[in-house]
Amino acid sequence: MPGVMTCGGLTLDLARPRLMGIVNVTPDSFSDGGRYADRDAAVAHARELVAAGADVLDIGGESTRPGAEPVSEPQELARVLPVIQGLRQRSSAPISIDTSKPAVMREAILAGADMINDVRALREPGALETAAEYAVPVCLMHMRGEPLTMQDQPTYSDVVAEQMAFFEERIQTCLQAGLARENLVIDPGFGFGKQLAHNLTLLHRLSELNTLGYPVLAGLSRKSMLGHLTGREKANERASASVAAALLAAQRGAAILRVHDVAETADALKVWLALKRLDEDNGSLA
Ligand code: 7PJ
């Protein structure tokens, strides 16, 4: 079972679900990162997420939304490095770098990042070697295809079975490359090359991933599957749906929940945990 994750000199006890707060530093229409105002806004937002209950901050400079174009290495570095540096000066919270590029992993870790979150599960050339060299926790996410085309009618005969085979292969490859098994986290990658029915099946059967023996990370926050279910077209109107999805993932054994709405999810988890403890004690509280 999950156990602990050592992140930035901090040991996260995974006996209860932990929150990974999302800090996007992908550009708006006016800028492409690197400006002081962008950096300061991202750092301030990250610190708010910590105050609201985030255990880890996930900093990403590559948009991986469906249809997103690739980002160059210099662009991605210009977006994320100033934020990591600024945050490291003002906070001791563990930092995860959301990237697939080995150079971005390396520079981020040298600037103070504690963990790698890779939607391509270390499949880019050099990524495996870089993760082995720095020996930090790594989230291996399942993605079918690439963001530009991944939502073009993906099909599976059994989405869970295919994921199990994918994780078994990636885990073996990681262990052979010298990564420590204690450093591996797996993630079904909701919305990454999946249709609504696939995403729902993955959530419904999430606990099956626990049989592999690695902590499971679930990222459902504000995703389009929640838009489909609720009719909410705007991502920032999906907070309630996101909290519900996070609790359902927690209920099925997710160890880490990657969320935008940290305060709301933290409150919901407190209620869930109180009942879970009663379940475990057979209701003997008072
Ligand atoms: C995920 C991610 C996820 C992990 C994104 C979005 C799209 N990393 N990065 N898992 N999603 N590990 O947040 O809507 O589900 S970007």
Side-chain angles (χ1 to χ4, degrees):
M1 272 291 90
V4 300
M5 188 169 79
T6 301
C7 208
L10 204 91
T11 299
L12 290 182
D13 179 359
L14 300 178
R16 68 174 169 88
R18 296 290 169 168
L19 295 179
M20 172 182 267
I22 301 170
V23 183
N24 276 326
V25 282
T26 47
D28 59 26
S29 47
F30 301 107
S31 72
D32 193 8
R35 296 188 321 183
Y36 286 119
D38 297 331
R39 183 197 70 177
D40 291 351
V43 170
H45 180 60
R47 296 180 72 202
E48 282 166 19
L49 295 183
V50 173
D55 300 291
V56 186
L57 297 163
D58 191 37
I59 301 189
E62 180 202 4
S63 175
T64 48
R65 288 181 190 290
E69 300 277 351
V71 180
S72 75
E73 184 182 299
Q75 252 179 334
E76 203 178 321
L77 282 169
R79 292 175 187 174
V80 297
L81 278 188
V83 178
I84 294 171
Q85 288 159 349
L87 190 57
R88 193 70 309 160
Q89 285 172 7
R90 294 172 186 78
S91 169
S92 58
I95 296 173
S96 156
I97 174 69
D98 185 349
T99 191
S100 298
K101 296 185 180 71
V104 177
M105 294 172 187
R106 180 179 312 109
E107 294 303 318
I109 292 166
L110 294 175
D114 306 292
M115 172 175 177
I116 296 167
N117 173 26
D118 185 0
V119 299
R120 294 180 184 79
L122 305 179
R123 286 179 290 164
E124 289 292 300
L128 203 54
E129 293 76 7
T130 303
E133 182 181 347
Y134 292 98
V136 293
V138 181
C139 178
L140 304 168
M141 198 197 79
H142 175 270
M143 171 166 64
R144 166 81 80 74
E146 279 292 314
L148 192 58
T149 53
M150 66 187 177
Q151 292 308 99
D152 298 349
Q153 298 300 314
T155 57
Y156 298 83
S157 58
D158 179 339
V159 67
V160 177
E162 184 166 323
Q163 288 216 338
M164 298 291 267
F166 172 83
F167 289 126
E168 280 168 7
E169 185 280 320
R170 291 319 295 158
I171 289 165
Q172 276 314 311
T173 302
C174 286
L175 297 178
Q176 276 162 19
L179 277 78
R181 62 171 295 124
E182 304 75 47
N183 275 339
L184 302 180
V185 174
I186 59 176
D187 178 346
F190 290 101
F192 285 85
K194 285 122 194 159
Q195 306 192 43
L196 177 60
H198 302 134
N199 289 315
L200 287 173
T201 298
L202 286 168
L203 180 54
H204 180 230
R205 295 174 59 189
L206 192 67
S207 56
E208 291 178 39
L209 292 184
N210 282 325
T211 62
L212 292 170
Y214 293 85
V216 170
L217 187 152
L220 290 142
S221 189
R222 300 187 184 178
K223 286 196 172 164
S224 66
M225 63 182 280
L226 304 178
H228 286 300
L229 294 173
T230 58
R232 305 251 180 221
E233 284 180 15
K234 292 185 187 150
N236 64 6
E237 293 175 353
R238 298 175 189 156
S240 301
S242 300
V243 170
L247 281 191
L248 291 165
Q251 187 75 42
R252 288 160 172 74
I256 305 173
L257 304 165
R258 181 179 179 278
V259 303
H260 298 86
D261 303 291
V262 171
E264 293 81 353
T265 314
D267 279 359
L269 273 179
K270 284 178 187 164
V271 177
W272 175 79
L273 260 181
L275 266 287
K276 181 165 179 280
R277 291 196 175 119
L278 277 187
D279 289 341
E280 286 164 2
D281 296 350
N282 290 319
S284 61
L285 182 67

